[in-house]
Amino acid sequence: MNRIRLLPEQVANQIAAGEVIERPASVVKELVENALDAQAAHLTVEILAGGRGLVRVTDDGLGMSRDDALLCLERHATSKVRNAEDLFRITTMGFRGEALPSIASVSRFTLTTRERESDAPDATQVVINGGKIIEVKAAGAASGTSVEVRQLFFNLPARRKFLRSEETETAHIQHYLTLAALAHPHVAFTFTTDSRTVFQLPTAPPATDPAGQLAALRERLRALQGTDLKLLIVDTRSTYSELPDAADIEQSPIGNRQSAIRLWGFIGAPGVSRGSRDDQHLFVNRRPIENRALNFALMEGYHTALMKGRYPVACLFLELDPAQVDVNIHPAKREVKFHREREVRQLVTEAIRGVLTEYHAPVAPVVPPALATPGRKG
């Protein structure tokens, strides 16, 4: 008798959901990432009961055709990765093709979408309960996509039991949306919980120049924090030698290619600190990440400018070649690994230290010419 059997598709999806969907905030994260990848300019997130009762994410992005709406609910179906090489140069927020089928397998799920460039008068609506397609029909809707997730983990009571209080789950959702809003100031965000608007952030004009990017980020920080903290500007560019592959060494054994890297954003001035890392927001190519090396580099940059037990306030963006950073480590895409971690860490440390040194440097007084001491004649 054979002991090894293939798992049913529904069970496989629920196992995948256990890796990708940990709590309502995970659902919000995956749906918002899809909306951002779809070039949305306006995003609305609505939740009820901390996300247990309802998570609804609505965007005005590219939308999908009927065929794509059905195909996106299959495991490993994605528009963002074509071959294995693409995994080593990720430029989109999502890429696994697991999120939507995972969410649909553990909730009462409704997808309504209409393609932006299509002439079709109707949208497509797909209704799924616990991974089983119940209905596919035409519906009236604006271009873009709306996803409703109700009764998360209704078919997995053991998982539902481990969810925290409504206040805690709401706080996790708000924390992620804060990060997404900071990373994309050119996108308007609206967040509503239990019919109460938590924040409504207008869109900032798209900017490619450093001054425009910093201005948009500063305005978004002011809108989210509600206070005008004393912040210092960080904007540093540098290069470092890429880590070559074995094939590259065989083809060109002499010389290393140089990779450009930029660190920009804001850090708190000395005296602006917190008792935890909650106000440290770090992004790599606009993706909010967790990386111990960057946390240590930030602390090293401040060195003695902080009291013991205090942590700096920071909102920093690291931009580098996507091929030089691996985001395909954790199913939730929270962690990244740099190919040249030591060089990246050193750049961050030196950039922070340089900004603080310049802040502390005494300003030479400007003496009017009329008051200058005349030179001695010989």
Side-chain angles (χ1 to χ4, degrees):
M1 178 180 176
N2 294 336
R3 297 183 179 180
I4 299 177
R5 295 184 298 272
L6 284 173
L7 288 172
E9 183 178 359
Q10 185 178 2
V11 176
N13 280 339
Q14 289 182 352
I15 292 173
E19 296 178 342
V20 179
I21 309 303
E22 301 172 357
R23 61 197 328 155
S26 305
V27 174
V28 173
K29 175 180 180 293
E30 298 294 343
L31 297 181
V32 168
E33 285 183 352
N34 283 344
L36 293 171
D37 286 338
Q39 303 172 21
H42 296 82
L43 256 168
T44 301
V45 179
E46 304 165 74
I47 66 170
L48 293 176
R52 300 184 191 200
L54 168 71
V55 170
R56 182 189 292 121
V57 177
T58 306
D59 69 70
D60 62 349
L62 296 174
M64 291 179 282
S65 65
R66 181 185 177 93
D67 291 341
D68 281 348
L70 292 170
L71 187 58
C72 77
L73 297 167
E74 300 290 334
R75 288 189 68 200
H76 308 304
T78 179
S79 62
K80 303 160 189 176
V81 173
R82 298 294 181 186
N83 49 53
E85 286 72 23
D86 290 345
L87 290 174
F88 301 100
R89 188 177 286 272
I90 299 294
T91 58
T92 55
M93 300 299 290
F95 56 88
R96 293 179 182 275
E98 290 182 329
L100 288 182
S102 296
I103 296 169
S105 70
V106 293
S107 67
R108 304 191 190 278
F109 180 96
T110 303
L111 168 68
T112 307
T113 184
R114 180 181 174 191
E115 208 168 6
R116 183 191 291 172
E117 305 296 336
S118 173
D119 296 329
D122 297 325
T124 300
Q125 188 171 82
V126 184
V127 181
I128 302 176
N129 281 350
K132 296 180 180 179
I133 296 181
I134 303 300
E135 189 177 15
V136 181
K137 62 181 181 180
S143 60
T145 302
S146 176
V147 178
E148 282 188 11
V149 178
R150 296 182 180 270
Q151 295 179 292
L152 185 64
F153 300 135
F154 79 97
N155 53 351
L156 293 175
R159 289 290 303 276
R160 192 173 178 87
K161 182 177 65 175
F162 280 98
L163 294 178
R164 302 294 183 181
S165 66
E166 293 182 12
E167 293 77 11
T168 300
E169 298 299 342
T170 299
H172 281 284
I173 293 171
Q174 185 171 345
H175 175 69
Y176 168 72
L177 288 176
T178 298
L179 296 177
L182 288 173
H184 301 274
H186 60 282
V187 178
F189 281 81
T190 300
F191 176 40
T192 303
T193 173
D194 298 323
S195 301
R196 178 180 60 86
T197 301
V198 178
F199 56 68
Q200 191 167 8
L201 305 172
T203 180
T208 55
D209 61 296
Q213 291 175 334
L214 287 164
L217 177 59
R218 188 70 184 89
E219 186 58 37
R220 184 57 58 97
L221 278 168
R222 186 180 292 112
L224 286 167
Q225 293 175 344
T227 57
D228 202 358
L229 297 176
K230 175 63 175 176
L231 299 176
L232 306 179
I233 294 176
V234 179
D235 197 352
T236 303
R237 297 174 186 269
S238 185
T239 59
Y240 65 95
S241 298
E242 294 183 6
L243 188 63
D245 295 330
D248 295 335
I249 295 175
E250 291 178 3
Q251 294 173 6
S252 180
I254 301 177
N256 291 328
R257 290 178 299 185
Q258 295 294 305
S259 184
I261 185 171
R262 179 191 176 204
L263 178 72
W264 65 279
F266 295 95
I267 60 171
V272 179
S273 62
R274 297 289 185 268
S276 68
R277 289 194 172 94
D278 289 347
D279 282 347
Q280 283 183 20
H281 307 315
L282 305 176
F283 304 83
V284 173
N285 294 339
R286 299 278 177 173
R287 182 189 301 277
I289 58 97
E290 296 175 4
N291 184 270
R292 293 183 65 186
L294 291 186
N295 287 332
F296 284 133
L298 189 57
M299 295 297 291
E300 287 175 0
Y302 271 84
H303 193 44
T304 57
L306 285 173
M307 294 178 61
K308 187 176 181 180
R310 304 294 292 179
Y311 297 90
V313 172
C315 183
L316 293 173
F317 291 80
L318 198 63
E319 295 178 357
L320 70 166
D321 184 351
Q324 294 298 305
V325 56
D326 187 2
V327 301
N328 192 22
I329 295 176
H330 191 277
K333 306 184 290 289
R334 285 192 299 257
E335 302 172 12
V336 299
K337 184 177 182 181
F338 299 103
H339 290 195
R340 287 288 198 182
E341 186 169 289
R342 181 182 297 177
E343 285 81 352
V344 172
R345 177 173 172 173
Q346 183 177 359
L347 169 80
V348 173
T349 300
E350 291 179 353
I352 301 301
R353 191 172 293 162
V355 169
L356 293 174
T357 300
E358 185 177 347
Y359 175 78
H360 285 294
V363 179
V366 178
V367 181
L371 299 180
T373 303
R376 182 180 297 176
K377 295 182 179 181

